[in-house]
Amino acid sequence: MSDYDDQNIFAKILRGEIPNKTVYQDEYVLAFEDINPQAPVHVLVIPKGAYISIDDFGTNASAQEITGFYAAIAKISSDLGLKDSGFRCIANTGLNGGQEVPHFHMHILGGKAIGPIVSRAVA
Ligand code: AMP
């Protein structure tokens, strides 16, 4: 896997160099509103550690970071009122996954029916 690029936009957000609309943070994660929302609720959850993708995170993060990340997703989705209505988590990964920002992030989408699991697949 290639090296982590510390000039990616989410690294800059973590360092406070670019503003964000924070919805939650703790020692493991920062969660903020997506700048181009695709649903009434569209939040990005990112680890505070420097991980490129979900596979980098799953391979190299500590057990505490991984537990903290998923505990935060549960808390955020509950705090945002999505628990009963449901929501979707998406982690685009690499070229075929359409990942634009090379810092692992989980999209949380909700507030309406999100539709088919793959809506923009290219044949
Ligand atoms: P992905 O295609 O999974 O890498 O998604 C990257 C996401 O980051 C997109 O949904 C963008 O709208 C979002 N995004 C890019 N720049 C910012 C920013 N400065 N603040 C919040 N969200 C952003």
Side-chain angles (χ1 to χ4, degrees):
M1 181 171 289
S2 55
D3 289 341
Y4 180 82
D5 171 14
D6 68 4
Q7 294 305 306
N8 79 74
I9 197 150
F10 294 169
K12 292 180 179 178
I13 285 175
L14 280 171
R15 291 195 296 267
E17 295 167 11
I18 292 177
N20 73 93
K21 293 187 178 170
T22 299
V23 299
Y24 175 78
Q25 70 172 315
D26 60 25
E27 73 177 289
Y28 299 112
V29 310
L30 174 67
F32 51 95
E33 293 179 9
D34 194 292
I35 204 167
N36 183 22
Q38 303 298 307
V41 177
H42 188 170
V43 167
L44 301 171
V45 185
I46 69 175
K48 288 195 168 171
Y51 300 103
I52 298 170
S53 64
I54 195 169
D55 68 300
D56 184 19
F57 186 69
T59 302
N60 296 311
S62 69
Q64 289 93 334
E65 287 175 297
I66 293 171
T67 300
F69 186 83
Y70 288 100
I73 287 182
K75 176 169 174 43
I76 293 161
S77 56
S78 177
D79 288 352
L80 293 173
L82 303 177
K83 217 168 184 174
D84 291 339
S85 53
F87 57 94
R88 181 171 297 154
C89 289
I90 299 172
N92 296 322
T93 307
L95 192 59
N96 281 355
Q99 183 177 3
E100 293 171 2
V101 180
H103 181 112
F104 171 42
H105 50 283
M106 189 74 82
H107 297 253
I108 299 178
L109 295 148
K112 69 171 188 179
I114 301 301
I117 191 164
V118 177
S119 60
R120 284 193 302 150
V122 179

